[in-house]
Amino acid sequence: MKILKVSIVIPVYNAEKYIQQCFNCLINQTDKNFEVICVDDGSTDGSLKKLNSYAQKDSRFKIFSKPNGGAGSARNLGIRYSSGEYTLFLDIDDYLEFDAIEKLYMIAKQNNSDFLFYNFITENENKEILKKHDFANYTSLPKKELIKLLFLCKLPFGPHQFIKTSLIKDNGFLYSEEIKVNEELVFKLRLLDYAERIMFTDYTPYHYIKHPVSLSKTFDLDRIKDRDIIISEVADVLHKNILNDNEYKILINTYNVSRSIIFSYQLCKSKTYNFWIAYAYIKGMLSESLYEKLSLIEVEENLFTGNIKFLYKILKYKCYFTYVCLCRIYAFVDKHKISRKGQ
């Protein structure tokens, strides 16, 4: 019996306008030995109808529908029904190169890879490149360092890995359905911890689309709670790989500061709250959660990305007004950069 090489798991929610581009890249793959498992997560537009129309024409497309529960729960249903030797997670508004399945499977098989990181490109809706993400330089790092970098989001924890399905299913790994944002981080950290053969490739098959609309969507203040949930769910993985208590403490502090800065930046770029409400909330949140725990003193600054490192220096001097102004400026520049190309 012929082995099914790859299961492509795609959560779908109100994404009718993106389905054609995403599915076209799959239909035209050079290697046809794969299945596509689409899970409609309670869409209220025409997504499910459009998904079913593809399934009627191509038996490789398998469509499931469930009440809305978030991307994590949709991916979990997809995992349950996946039967390929490898699993690839794809977001419905993104797309792959036509030779993605062929090349990723070949690379994974040649190296007997459990967990394969690949490069990706961030682009706008006009397919113009905003950033190229290259992770091939991490090849020689030990697992401990990879786990640190993934935990601090310096390695991609989104759908940018080619994973042996047995690694997922044999260990019963599933996405957290409690976490609202970054639910993939816990899942990928556990997989990375259990993986024996971790590989990197300089191949770039994945196109991540950044949409301007996401910059102004309703902001949920409860998202900050995910920070503590994530820490509690991966504490055992971190302790297992980071034996030194002081190093563990600094890593947690660095994560807390980094996620708080990202949260406050996202709050500032949201249109849900005006400047002064954002300022009051951020001042209270940062002073209470970071200064009382001395997190701003005991961090590993070189693990911050560029903007976070700069904003961190502002926070050290408690310049909250300046901090909120800078977040707003960064948000404006980010939105302008995404929207400007192609005009």
Side-chain angles (χ1 to χ4, degrees):
M1 184 177 179
K2 189 176 182 181
I3 296 174
L4 182 66
K5 292 181 178 179
V6 182
S7 293
I8 303 172
V9 176
I10 309 176
V12 179
Y13 178 71
N14 288 350
E16 181 181 6
K17 65 180 180 179
Y18 302 119
I19 292 172
Q20 182 175 349
Q21 174 179 266
C22 182
F23 279 17
N24 281 349
C25 84
L26 300 177
I27 292 170
N28 291 295
Q29 285 294 309
T30 54
D31 189 331
K32 308 297 184 183
N33 188 359
F34 63 88
E35 65 177 357
V36 180
I37 301 176
C38 288
V39 180
D40 182 80
D41 191 38
S43 294
T44 56
D45 65 356
S47 293
L48 183 57
K49 181 179 179 181
K50 197 161 189 175
L51 292 174
N52 285 328
S53 70
Y54 278 91
Q56 289 170 4
K57 301 172 187 175
D58 192 328
S59 61
R60 294 174 302 169
F61 288 79
K62 302 171 182 178
I63 313 301
F64 299 90
S65 180
K66 57 180 283 300
N68 181 255
S73 65
R75 292 189 186 100
N76 287 341
L77 185 60
I79 290 169
R80 183 189 307 171
Y81 289 102
S82 62
S83 55
E85 186 179 358
Y86 283 87
T87 296
L88 184 152
F89 295 98
L90 175 64
D91 287 343
I92 192 64
D93 52 346
D94 299 336
Y95 66 97
L96 301 171
E97 291 289 321
F98 290 154
D99 60 357
I101 300 304
E102 178 184 0
K103 287 191 174 180
L104 288 173
Y105 185 81
M106 179 183 67
I107 295 166
K109 288 295 287 184
Q110 286 178 346
N111 296 280
N112 192 25
S113 171
D114 294 322
F115 196 99
L116 174 65
F117 285 96
Y118 50 79
N119 298 336
F120 67 98
I121 294 172
T122 297
E123 56 190 50
N124 63 17
E125 292 176 332
N126 297 310
K127 296 187 179 181
E128 294 172 314
I129 295 173
L130 301 175
K131 186 176 181 180
K132 294 182 178 180
H133 306 263
D134 189 341
F135 302 99
N137 292 334
Y138 293 98
T139 301
S140 60
L141 292 179
K143 183 187 287 189
K144 167 188 170 180
E145 293 303 315
L146 294 178
I147 284 175
K148 284 176 62 176
L149 291 172
L150 187 63
F151 178 59
L152 295 173
C153 307
K154 296 198 74 173
L155 274 175
F157 58 85
H160 312 300
Q161 305 90 22
F162 197 66
I163 305 165
K164 189 172 285 185
T165 304
S166 59
L167 178 66
I168 302 172
K169 291 199 167 189
D170 290 354
N171 295 293
F173 291 138
L174 293 171
Y175 284 85
S176 170
E177 299 184 17
E178 182 182 4
I179 300 169
K180 297 181 179 180
V181 179
N182 297 339
E183 75 282 350
E184 293 172 285
L185 180 57
V186 175
F187 179 71
K188 298 296 173 59
L189 274 169
R190 294 203 172 278
L191 287 171
L192 192 61
D193 179 40
Y194 271 71
E196 294 182 3
R197 296 279 296 174
I198 302 165
M199 305 297 298
F200 290 82
T201 175
D202 57 5
Y203 175 51
T204 307
Y206 196 103
H207 295 258
Y208 164 68
I209 309 300
K210 196 166 186 180
H211 305 284
V213 67
S214 65
L215 298 180
S216 59
K217 64 185 179 182
T218 302
F219 189 82
D220 183 2
L221 292 176
D222 284 340
R223 284 165 56 176
I224 192 62
K225 296 177 183 178
D226 290 343
R227 183 188 62 189
D228 296 328
I229 297 173
I230 288 172
I231 291 174
S232 67
E233 291 204 9
V234 300
D236 59 329
V237 173
L238 299 178
H239 275 300
K240 175 182 173 182
N241 291 277
I242 301 167
L243 302 178
N244 183 288
D245 288 342
N246 188 57
E247 184 181 2
Y248 175 82
K249 177 183 177 182
I250 291 174
L251 180 65
I252 295 299
N253 284 346
T254 304
Y255 175 81
N256 270 325
V257 173
S258 176
R259 299 318 299 175
S260 295
I261 289 174
I262 291 172
F263 174 87
S264 58
Y265 165 71
Q266 292 171 339
L267 171 60
C268 286
K269 77 180 183 182
S270 166
K271 293 182 179 179
T272 308
Y273 303 97
N274 65 35
F275 178 93
W276 293 109
I277 293 176
Y279 167 74
Y281 184 87
I282 288 170
K283 179 181 179 181
M285 177 192 73
L286 294 177
S287 60
E288 176 183 351
S289 64
L290 299 179
Y291 276 106
E292 288 187 4
K293 296 178 181 178
L294 299 179
S295 295
L296 283 170
I297 298 173
E298 298 176 304
V299 299
E300 195 170 344
E301 286 189 53
N302 66 326
L303 291 176
F304 290 142
T305 57
N307 286 351
I308 291 178
K309 186 179 292 187
F310 180 68
L311 290 171
Y312 164 76
K313 293 183 183 298
I314 302 296
L315 281 181
K316 286 181 71 173
Y317 297 100
K318 302 185 180 182
C319 300
Y320 298 116
F321 183 86
T322 303
Y323 176 85
V324 176
C325 288
L326 285 171
C327 283
R328 292 262 170 168
I329 292 170
Y330 281 148
F332 175 80
V333 171
D334 191 23
K335 181 177 181 179
H336 184 66
K337 182 170 64 175
I338 296 169
S339 303
R340 183 180 179 184
K341 290 197 172 190
Q343 290 184 347

